[in-house]
Amino acid sequence: MAELNGKRELFDTAPILTSLDFANPEVGNKMVELIVNYAKERRDVDYLHVWLSDARNNICECEHCQKDLPSDQYVRILNQLDEALTKEGLDTKICFLLYHELLFAPEKEKLKNPERFTMMFAPITRTFEMSYEDVNYETDVPEPKAYVRNKIVLPNSLEENLSYLFAWKKMFDGDSFVYDYPLGRAHYGDLGYMKISHVIYRDIHFLKNLQLNGYISCQELRAGFPHNFPNYVMGQMLWNNTRDYEELKEEYFSSMYGENWKEVITYLENLSAYSSCDYFNAIGERLNPVLSARYEVCVNLAEEMLPVIEANTAKRDGLQKQEWKQLGYHREYAMKMAEALRLISAGKHTEAQRMWRDVLDFIRRNEMAFQQNLDVYRVIEVAKNYAGFKL
């Protein structure tokens, strides 16, 4: 295991979070042996991902590891793996990862056989209030920061995240894709799901400009409260990135809600405009009076939508009736969640926690009504770990 503060033990008691001593040749040899054996047994796997631990600031501090960047050690092992796979006659592609410490490009090592590898860019802490398409690439992308062992702070800005991608691309110009997170946490902050849908649309449309050949979404499977338009956009754009966004909206929502779909769109887009993906995802100051006022608008929007939802639920049948009912549950959820966020962003923590308990009570009691669309466990976990609420 990695040596941290003079000790070698599990990081935060979890093997998945624990780093290794990559200067120890036994570590590289054992990793390569295990990966090659897996590739031999699973010849159906065309692209095999080789990642390091799912934590940061846990890199080995022994005197030998101190001599190299983690990414140099990583590339060294990847080259050793390539040689072993070649010796076994295996053509398995290896996906390597730009994530946490591995965002920092190597300074000494280079992949000897680029054809073996596909690069995966994973900007887990990025903002979703803007798209890759919004970046000024001529003036705003900085030089990447220098690596400081076990003291890294991951960037929120797209510009800084992209600076690390571009540094890696100087040493690897092979196949690559982005592993992105719009529906992993950030979507819970977008109460209408429309802002995140448009960011997904524009991100995928722009991938070719970044010379990224694909997109994997790290997300909940049940990310559809009140609708699954973000995933619909993602699927359509990855299949055909020339689709028009307004056409996609009409295609999806007219089928979902019938002739009153435009009224729903206006409501949902307003909810999105006055809520924040970033705030719920722990990006930005917790005390935010401007945002607090916006959440109050969300509460009012949801209150005003009640008669529209009631009227349409009463006159519909079949699937459209179910979707209007779903929108009704979401309306009450949005009111309660926006009020809790209004209070916490205003610094009224006791009142916010009281309102958050009301949110918890509502989503737990009604979980079976929207279980297919809202991952109740996950929204609670994210609210607790990122938005600032307590269980």
Side-chain angles (χ1 to χ4, degrees):
M1 298 179 191
E3 179 185 312
L4 288 171
N5 299 316
K7 297 179 180 179
R8 296 183 185 270
E9 57 191 15
L10 291 176
F11 187 77
D12 202 19
T13 74
I16 194 174
L17 302 179
T18 303
S19 190
L20 301 173
D21 182 344
F22 295 115
N24 184 337
E26 289 185 40
V27 169
N29 293 340
K30 188 63 177 177
M31 284 179 66
V32 168
E33 178 188 346
L34 289 166
I35 296 164
V36 170
N37 287 341
Y38 183 87
K40 287 166 69 175
E41 293 170 6
R42 293 296 307 274
R43 292 175 186 263
D44 58 309
V45 175
D46 299 307
Y47 288 81
L48 181 57
H49 290 243
V50 177
W51 303 355
L52 302 186
S53 74
D54 196 17
R56 58 184 177 271
N57 293 323
N58 63 340
I59 297 299
C60 187
E61 296 169 342
C62 77
E63 61 174 317
H64 300 294
C65 282
Q66 294 274 3
K67 298 174 183 177
D68 287 314
L69 291 179
S71 53
D72 280 304
Q73 295 178 311
Y74 182 50
V75 170
R76 201 171 293 145
I77 291 172
L78 291 176
N79 281 329
Q80 183 182 347
L81 172 61
D82 169 55
E83 291 176 6
L85 291 169
T86 300
K87 187 176 180 180
E88 293 289 338
L90 295 167
D91 60 1
T92 309
K93 291 278 190 179
I94 300 298
C95 287
F96 70 97
L97 176 62
L98 279 59
Y99 176 74
H100 289 176
E101 275 80 6
L102 296 179
L103 281 173
F104 297 83
E107 294 179 348
K108 302 174 184 177
E109 303 292 336
K110 192 170 184 178
L111 292 168
K112 296 176 182 177
N113 179 19
E115 290 300 313
R116 169 76 68 183
F117 297 98
T118 292
M119 183 166 69
M120 185 177 110
F121 173 50
I124 189 169
T125 52
R126 63 161 282 192
T127 177
F128 283 98
E129 294 292 330
M130 62 184 290
S131 162
Y132 296 121
E133 200 161 7
D134 297 317
V135 173
N136 185 328
Y137 289 88
E138 292 184 4
T139 61
D140 291 351
V141 178
E143 288 297 313
K145 291 182 178 177
Y147 174 69
V148 180
R149 188 173 298 265
N150 294 335
K151 292 182 179 179
I152 68 166
V153 176
L154 294 181
N156 299 140
S157 76
L158 287 176
E159 290 83 358
E160 189 177 345
N161 272 291
L162 288 163
S163 74
Y164 296 109
L165 172 65
F166 296 157
W168 268 96
K169 279 186 169 289
K170 290 178 182 177
M171 63 79 66
F172 180 82
D173 62 357
D175 187 31
S176 60
F177 66 94
V178 66
Y179 185 86
D180 228 327
Y181 303 81
L183 304 177
R185 292 194 300 259
H187 62 300
Y188 293 123
D190 179 359
L191 295 178
Y193 272 24
M194 299 305 294
K195 185 189 302 180
I196 202 73
S197 297
H198 200 216
V199 167
I200 290 168
Y201 174 87
R202 298 178 73 229
D203 277 355
I204 294 173
H205 183 260
F206 197 73
L207 289 182
K208 61 184 181 298
N209 300 80
L210 297 173
Q211 296 178 315
L212 295 170
N213 302 326
Y215 184 104
I216 290 178
S217 177
C218 180
Q219 65 170 79
E220 284 75 73
L221 294 176
R222 291 174 285 132
F225 196 53
H227 55 76
N228 281 287
F229 189 55
N231 267 135
Y232 188 77
V233 168
M234 190 184 296
Q236 290 289 341
M237 288 300 291
L238 287 170
W239 184 251
N240 175 8
N241 69 2
T242 66
R243 291 296 308 269
D244 178 76
Y245 185 70
E246 295 302 317
E247 286 181 4
L248 287 173
K249 279 201 301 189
E250 181 173 359
E251 185 176 283
Y252 184 86
F253 288 104
S254 63
S255 299
M256 191 169 185
Y257 295 114
E259 68 270 16
N260 294 102
W261 68 273
K262 288 184 179 179
E263 197 167 1
V264 178
I265 285 284
T266 300
Y267 163 64
L268 293 172
E269 288 183 338
N270 281 331
L271 279 181
S272 289
Y274 286 96
S275 54
S276 170
C277 295
D278 280 0
Y279 188 81
F280 206 88
N281 204 16
I283 297 175
E285 295 295 327
R286 297 296 85 194
L287 183 62
N288 190 328
V290 172
L291 195 52
S292 182
R294 291 185 175 185
Y295 284 127
E296 186 171 9
V297 175
C298 290
V299 174
N300 294 336
L301 287 167
E303 285 180 341
E304 293 166 3
M305 193 63 180
L306 179 58
V308 177
I309 294 174
E310 286 183 333
N312 279 276
T313 303
K315 70 180 183 180
R316 307 286 170 186
D317 54 24
L319 291 175
Q320 286 186 356
K321 186 180 188 72
Q322 293 304 312
E323 295 299 348
W324 279 98
K325 284 179 67 177
Q326 188 86 192
L327 191 62
Y329 281 113
H330 177 268
R331 185 200 72 86
E332 192 165 352
Y333 163 84
M335 278 181 61
K336 295 176 184 298
M337 182 67 86
E339 179 62 11
L341 289 164
R342 182 188 74 81
L343 291 165
I344 202 168
S345 57
K348 299 179 179 180
H349 295 284
T350 302
E351 297 94 326
Q353 182 61 24
R354 191 177 300 123
M355 193 65 220
W356 170 241
R357 292 178 70 85
D358 201 21
V359 176
L360 289 175
D361 179 61
F362 177 75
I363 59 178
R364 286 166 169 166
R365 280 191 298 105
N366 294 285
E367 181 171 5
M368 293 314 295
F370 42 68
Q371 193 268 349
Q372 290 184 322
N373 289 336
L374 177 68
D375 188 328
V376 168
Y377 161 78
R378 179 63 170 164
V379 70
I380 293 172
E381 181 192 43
V382 174
K384 176 172 66 77
N385 292 338
Y386 296 88
F389 296 111
K390 300 176 183 178
L391 280 177

